[in-house]
């Protein structure tokens, strides 16, 4: 049985920011992707191409998780609580040097529900 493509899961830094004072973390929704969900048809990834010029002191990250409901060969085995625990662990690891820096979440659809389970 094929395994899900996990290289697109977890936290990815899109823009490091200039002396960042806040982290912005985008979490995609159902059937989404940590980069493609925030990219226009013309290839503009607004988290990378637009947001940093407006918020220079923000580090921009995105989070990917197994949200594929259309793959007939492999289905996620994680429930909502497990997804939330994984999200919290991945963010904690990425922010180990700056654990008190404020976070702004941009969450869509199922990503927002998973985020709510973290809280």
């Amino acid at each position: 049985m094929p395994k899900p493509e996990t290289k697109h899961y977890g936290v990815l830094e899109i823009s490091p920011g200039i002396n960042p004072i806040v982290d912005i973390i985008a979490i995609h929704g159902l059937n989404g992707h940590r980069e493609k969900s925030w990219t226009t048809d013309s290839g503009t990834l607004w988290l990378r191409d637009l947001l940093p010029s407006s918020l220079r002191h923000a580090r921009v990250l995105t989070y990917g998780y197994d949200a594929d409901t259309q793959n007939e060969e492999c289905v996620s085995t994680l429930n909502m609580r497990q997804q939330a625990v994984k999200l919290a662990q991945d963010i904690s690891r990425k922010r180990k040097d700056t654990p008190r820096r404020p976070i702004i979440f941009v969450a869509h659809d199922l990503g927002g529900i998973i985020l709510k389970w973290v809280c």
Side-chain angles (χ1 to χ4, degrees):
M1 174 182 282
K3 294 189 179 218
E5 193 173 331
T6 60
K7 67 182 179 182
H8 299 291
Y9 297 164
V11 178
L12 174 68
E13 184 177 278
I14 298 289
S15 173
I18 300 168
N19 298 319
I21 59 172
V22 66
D23 284 345
I24 298 173
I25 303 175
I27 307 168
H28 65 78
L30 196 60
N31 295 317
H33 182 274
R34 73 177 180 188
E35 293 169 83
K36 293 175 187 174
S37 292
W38 314 104
T39 303
T40 66
D41 291 339
S42 63
T44 301
L45 174 54
W46 69 269
L47 296 169
R48 177 194 64 219
D49 302 328
L50 304 175
L51 192 59
S53 63
S54 297
L55 300 171
R56 296 179 15 196
H57 298 290
R59 180 171 68 158
V60 182
L61 309 140
T62 185
Y63 181 75
Y65 62 97
D66 186 5
D68 187 358
T69 63
Q70 299 174 351
N71 185 343
E72 295 176 5
E73 298 172 353
C74 186
V75 176
S76 175
T77 58
L78 298 180
N79 64 32
M80 296 293 286
R81 182 168 305 283
Q82 292 167 323
Q83 292 280 15
V85 167
K86 179 111 177 64
L87 169 63
Q89 290 171 340
D90 288 356
I91 289 173
S92 180
R93 271 192 295 276
K94 185 67 175 182
R95 292 171 38 90
K96 70 178 185 267
D97 296 332
T98 57
R100 298 192 56 80
R101 182 185 295 157
I103 304 173
I104 298 172
F105 287 101
V106 178
H108 174 70
D109 189 54
L110 183 61
I113 296 170
I114 292 171
L115 177 60
K116 185 164 175 65
W117 276 79
V118 171
C119 303

